[in-house]
Amino acid sequence: MRRNIVLIGMMGAGKTAIGGELARRLGRPFADTDVEIERAATMTIPEIFARDGEEFFRARESEVLGRVLALGDSIISTGGGAWLRPENRQRIAQNGVAVWLDCDIETLWHRVRQRPTRPLLQTPDPRGTLERLLAERAPVYALADI
């Protein structure tokens, strides 16, 4: 069985768009963990964050990631924070190849600034928050296989 290809990186890096196209070109199934979480919860991610908080969301994210990894032979787009959890990195290493879609801050900001659906950017300074998140997460993203 071929291994999963798991796309990781910041919000706005293009994981969903690139993942869908890669799956189409390779003739493999595509799964977006954010879409799967929303489907299972029958709520949007901002609604989950507002009602239950980030930790609750992260736990659901880990559960969904485990389910989609078990399918095998898939292209998987993860949420920006999924790779930060050591247990998720271990699951991905056992069941796939992690590919970091690295993206500069200007491109990220251009892509996310008009999207009110980003719970982590609901701050007085969303660009500053995005810059901080990128700086904090980049060293962990750099642990990816590719």
Side-chain angles (χ1 to χ4, degrees):
M1 171 166 58
R2 292 181 296 194
R3 294 171 55 99
N4 296 298
I5 297 173
V6 183
L7 305 179
I8 67 162
M10 286 293 292
M11 63 182 94
K15 299 180 299 288
T16 298
I18 291 169
E21 179 63 18
L22 185 61
R24 186 187 68 74
R25 288 184 185 204
L26 296 177
R28 293 170 76 171
F30 174 64
D32 182 323
T33 59
D34 285 348
V35 170
E36 296 299 322
I37 292 165
E38 288 182 335
R39 185 176 296 137
T42 63
M43 285 190 280
T44 67
I45 290 171
E47 290 169 338
I48 296 169
F49 266 73
R51 190 184 85 179
D52 300 310
E54 184 176 1
E55 276 308 306
F56 178 88
F57 170 78
R58 296 296 174 202
R60 301 301 72 75
E61 183 175 56
S62 293
E63 291 170 4
V64 166
L65 179 61
R67 281 198 303 271
V68 298
L69 284 168
L71 298 173
D73 197 31
S74 297
I75 309 300
I76 301 168
S77 169
T78 63
W83 182 251
L84 304 178
R85 286 185 155 208
E87 63 269 23
N88 290 342
R89 292 195 302 272
Q90 182 178 5
R91 281 183 180 153
I92 292 168
Q94 292 169 345
N95 298 287
V97 175
V99 178
W100 175 23
L101 299 185
D102 191 8
C103 203
D104 64 84
I105 191 68
E106 292 305 321
T107 302
L108 293 173
W109 179 242
H110 175 74
R111 291 176 179 170
V112 302
R113 70 178 174 211
Q114 302 298 325
R115 309 265 323 260
T117 59
R118 306 290 184 171
L120 295 179
L121 297 183
Q122 303 307 306
T123 67
D125 179 15
R127 180 176 171 122
T129 300
L130 184 66
E131 290 171 351
R132 179 184 54 77
L133 288 170
L134 179 58
E136 290 171 0
R137 292 175 174 188
V140 183
Y141 291 151
L143 299 172
D145 300 303
I146 299 170

